[in-house]
C-alpha cells in the first residue's frame, strides 16, 4: 500500500525537525509515502525524507495556484508509481479539496484529518477565508472514507453537525513524547532569571488573534491588585506582537521589575525559547486563553512536568485538566472568569498537584499502531 499525503507543513523539507522525523516514522506503515506540500518556488521539487518517504513542493508562484499545482504533482506521482493508494490530507479545507478531486479521478479512499475545531463560532468569525473553509469542510466530510480528529471535542462537534459521520471518525490525539520531555534537564530557572517576582505565569504560543493573549493581559490588571509580585511571561512571536505590547503599555505599574526581554512592569515578552521545557518546569502556572484549538499540545507538555494549567475550554483542556487539582478550565473569552481563577490559584498555588492523565501517555509504538489502524 502507498500513501499520498497532502500537507502545508514546510518543515517537512528541513532535516532534523519533529515533523520530518514523524513523516519518516509514518513511512514504516506502508510501502511508500509521498507527500505533496503546498509551498513556494524556494522549495525543491523533490526531497527524500527517508528511504521510502519523499516530499514534493508544489513550487507555486502564489497561494492561489496551490490547488492546480498540487493536482499536477499528485497526478504524476500516482500515474508513475501505480499500485494501491490511500490519500490522507492535513485538513478538510484546501488540502482536503485537493484530496477529494484526486479521489474522483483515481477512485481511491480518502482520509480527511481535522486538527482544528473549525466548527467553533470563533473560527468562522475570524475571517472570510475561514467562513469559506467551513463551507468546504461541510461539503467534503460526508464524502470522505474516514475522518481522523485529534480530540474528543472535535469528534463531538462533527457528530452534532452530521450524525452520519459517527462511523467514519477516528479520534487520535497528536503524539507528544512524554518520556523525552520529562528527561530534559532544566537549563533555565525562571525564578532565578526573574528573581523579583514571587509567582510566574507562563504563556507560550504563536502570537495570533485566536490565541486571545490580550485577554490575559487585561486580567492581570485585576490580579496585580492582590498579587503585585506576579509576572506574566509571554513567550512567542507572531503578527499580534505589536498590538499586545500596546495593550501592555496600558497596564499600571504594580510592583516588581525584571531584566531581559521586552518589559513593561509585570508583563514581559520573550521570543520563542529553545528551552521551553525548562520554562514549564520552573514556572508556577501555565496559561492558555485561545478562542479555539484543535488539540492544545502545550497543555500536555505543561501537565507532563507537573506545571498546573488554567486554560479556556478548547481542544483537550477539559479532557486533560483535573478541575481544582491540576488547574481550571473556563469558557473562551470570559475575562471575568479567568480573573477569578487566577486569584483562586495565586491564593494557594501549593495546593495544586499537576499530573497528566494516563490516556495521554501513549508510547511512540502505540501511537504509530493507532495511526496504522486509522488508515486501515
Amino acid at each position: 500500500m502507498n500513501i499520498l499525503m497532502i500537507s502545508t507543513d514546510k518543515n517537512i523539507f528541513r532535516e532534523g525537525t519533529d515533523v520530518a522525523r514523524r513523516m519518516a516514522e509514518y513511512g514504516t506503515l506502508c510501502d511508500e509515502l509521498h507527500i505533496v506540500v503546498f509551498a513556494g518556488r524556494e522549495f525543491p521539487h523533490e526531497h527524500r525524507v527517508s528511504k521510502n518517504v519523499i516530499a514534493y513542493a508544489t513550487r507555486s508562484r502564489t497561494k492561489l495556484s496551490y490547488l492546480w499545482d498540487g493536482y499536477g504533482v499528485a497526478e504524476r506521482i500516482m500515474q508513475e508509481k501505480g499500485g494501491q493508494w490511500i490519500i490522507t490530507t492535513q485538513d478538510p479545507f484546501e488540502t482536503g479539496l485537493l484530496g477529494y478531486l484526486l479521489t474522483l479521478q483515481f477512485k481511491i479512499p480518502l482520509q480527511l484529518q481535522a486538527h482544528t475545531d473549525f466548527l467553533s463560532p470563533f473560527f468562522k468569525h475570524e475571517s472570510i477565508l475561514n467562513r469559506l473553509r467551513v463551507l468546504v469542510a461541510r461539503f467534503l466530510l460526508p464524502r470522505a472514507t474516514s475522518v481522523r480528529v485529534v480530540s474528543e471535542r472535535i469528534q463531538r462537534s462533527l457528530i452534532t453537525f452530521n450524525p452520519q459521520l459517527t462511523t467514519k471518525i477516528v479520534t487520535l490525539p497528536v503524539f507528544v513524547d512524554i518520556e523525552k520531555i520529562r528527561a530534559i534537564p532544566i537549563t533555565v530557572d525562571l525564578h532565578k532569571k526573574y528573581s523579583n517576582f514571587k509567582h510566574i505565569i507562563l504563556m507560550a504560543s504563536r502570537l495570533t488573534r485566536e490565541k486571545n493573549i490580550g485577554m490575559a493581559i487585561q486580567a492581570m490588571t485585576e490580579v496585580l491588585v492582590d498579587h503585585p509580585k506576579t509576572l506574566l511571561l509571554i513567550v512567542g512571536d507572531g503578527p499580534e506582537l505589536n498590538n499586545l505590547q500596546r495593550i501592555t503599555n496600558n497596564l499600571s505599574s504594580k510592583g516588581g521589575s525584571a531584566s531581559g526581554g521586552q518589559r513593561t512592569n509585570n508583563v514581559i515578552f520573550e521570543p520563542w525559547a529553545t528551552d521551553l521545557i525548562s520554562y514549564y518546569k520552573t514556572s508556577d502556572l501555565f496559561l492558555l486563553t485561545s478562542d479555539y484549538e484543535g488539540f492544545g499540545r502545550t497543555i500536555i507538555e505543561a501537565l507532563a512536568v507537573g506545571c498546573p494549567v488554567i486554560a479556556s475550554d478548547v481542544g483537550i483542556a477539559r479532557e486533560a485538566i483535573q478541575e481544582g487539582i491540576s488547574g481550571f478550565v473556563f469558557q473562551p473569552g470570559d475575562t471575568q472568569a479567568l480573573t477569578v481563577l487566577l486569584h483562586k490559584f495565586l491564593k494557594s498555588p501549593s495546593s495544586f498537584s499537576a499530573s497528566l492523565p494516563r490516556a495521554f501517555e501513549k508510547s511512540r509504538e502505540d501511537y504509530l499502531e493507532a495511526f496504522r489502524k486509522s488508515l486501515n
Side-chain angles (χ1 to χ4, degrees):
M1 177 185 71
N2 297 326
I3 298 175
L4 177 71
M5 181 179 290
I6 304 171
S7 175
T8 62
D9 197 333
K10 301 171 184 62
N11 282 324
I12 293 172
F13 295 103
R14 300 185 174 97
E15 294 184 9
T17 60
D18 287 342
V19 67
R21 286 193 291 268
R22 188 165 66 250
M23 293 305 112
E25 291 169 350
Y26 287 164
T28 64
L29 306 177
C30 58
D31 296 324
E32 293 182 1
L33 171 59
H34 298 266
I35 310 166
V36 177
V37 183
F38 290 171
R41 300 181 71 82
E42 68 272 22
F43 291 90
H45 285 289
E46 292 187 16
H47 171 73
R48 187 167 291 277
V49 180
S50 65
K51 183 178 180 181
N52 67 329
V53 179
I54 304 175
Y56 309 79
T58 57
R59 291 178 56 81
S60 303
R61 291 185 181 276
T62 69
K63 293 181 179 180
L64 294 175
S65 62
Y66 279 162
L67 198 63
W68 175 264
D69 297 333
Y71 192 95
V73 173
E75 183 182 44
R76 174 179 59 82
I77 294 168
M78 288 193 289
Q79 286 177 342
E80 289 180 357
K81 297 293 181 179
Q84 293 184 319
W85 288 86
I86 289 175
I87 298 180
T88 181
T89 71
Q90 180 179 312
D91 57 55
F93 314 133
E94 292 95 320
T95 66
L97 183 57
L98 175 54
Y100 174 68
L101 294 175
L102 289 166
T103 62
L104 292 179
Q105 177 177 348
F106 293 95
K107 311 299 180 185
I108 54 179
L110 170 65
Q111 180 194 64
L112 298 177
Q113 298 191 42
H115 293 253
T116 299
D117 188 10
F118 62 89
L119 292 178
S120 162
F122 291 99
F123 180 86
K124 182 172 66 174
H125 294 143
E126 188 175 283
S127 66
I128 294 175
L129 177 59
N130 280 1
R131 293 189 187 96
L132 292 173
R133 284 170 169 162
V134 172
L135 292 175
V136 170
R138 287 176 177 268
F139 172 80
L140 293 179
L141 287 167
R143 292 163 174 80
T145 312
S146 71
V147 181
R148 180 253 174 128
V149 300
V150 296
S151 69
E152 292 179 6
R153 173 184 302 281
I154 300 178
Q155 179 188 35
R156 290 192 299 268
S157 66
L158 292 185
I159 292 174
T160 300
F161 154 65
N162 186 343
Q164 294 181 352
L165 294 175
T166 303
T167 58
K168 294 185 176 185
I169 295 176
V170 176
T171 303
L172 179 61
V174 175
F175 176 70
V176 181
D177 195 336
I178 303 302
E179 291 184 7
K180 179 180 178 181
I181 289 173
R182 288 172 175 159
I184 294 175
I186 295 173
T187 57
V188 177
D189 187 330
L190 290 180
H191 277 280
K192 290 181 179 178
K193 184 174 183 178
Y194 299 111
S195 58
N196 289 340
F197 294 98
K198 182 178 179 181
H199 302 299
I200 297 176
I201 301 172
L202 173 67
M203 300 186 77
S205 73
R206 181 162 166 74
L207 307 183
T208 52
R209 284 176 57 192
E210 74 273 12
K211 303 301 182 182
N212 203 359
I213 294 171
M215 182 175 72
I217 298 173
Q218 293 294 339
M220 284 293 289
T221 61
E222 298 294 332
V223 170
L224 292 175
V225 173
D226 294 328
H227 305 281
K229 288 286 188 176
T230 300
L231 168 66
L232 177 62
L233 178 61
I234 302 170
V235 178
D237 297 295
E240 283 290 291
L241 177 59
N242 291 337
N243 182 46
L244 292 171
Q245 288 174 334
R246 281 195 294 270
I247 295 173
T248 302
N249 289 335
N250 296 325
L251 183 64
S252 299
S253 178
K254 293 185 181 292
S257 62
S259 60
Q262 292 181 322
R263 175 174 58 84
T264 301
N265 307 307
N266 296 70
V267 179
I268 296 177
F269 292 87
E270 282 193 11
W272 198 255
T274 56
D275 48 6
L276 185 59
I277 302 302
S278 292
Y279 282 38
Y280 290 131
K281 291 182 177 181
T282 58
S283 60
D284 298 291
L285 175 71
F286 182 78
L287 177 60
L288 184 143
T289 56
S290 298
D291 289 333
Y292 61 86
E293 291 276 354
F295 182 61
R297 179 190 179 102
T298 51
I299 296 175
I300 299 298
E301 292 175 336
L303 291 175
V305 298
C307 179
V309 176
I310 294 179
S312 50
D313 192 2
V314 297
I316 46 82
R318 188 70 67 179
E319 304 161 42
I321 298 171
Q322 294 176 282
E323 194 76 16
I325 300 174
S326 60
F328 296 109
V329 179
F330 64 97
Q331 288 303 306
D334 192 339
T335 307
Q336 183 178 0
L338 171 60
T339 303
V340 170
L341 294 177
L342 287 172
H343 274 295
K344 194 171 183 179
F345 175 84
L346 292 170
K347 186 177 179 180
S348 181
S350 61
S351 65
F352 289 80
S353 178
S355 62
L356 185 65
R358 293 184 63 84
F360 292 96
E361 297 203 30
K362 283 184 178 292
S363 69
R364 190 178 298 275
E365 293 73 21
D366 289 342
Y367 175 80
L368 288 173
E369 176 61 15
F371 188 70
R372 183 188 65 79
K373 287 181 178 179
S374 78
L375 295 174
N376 284 344

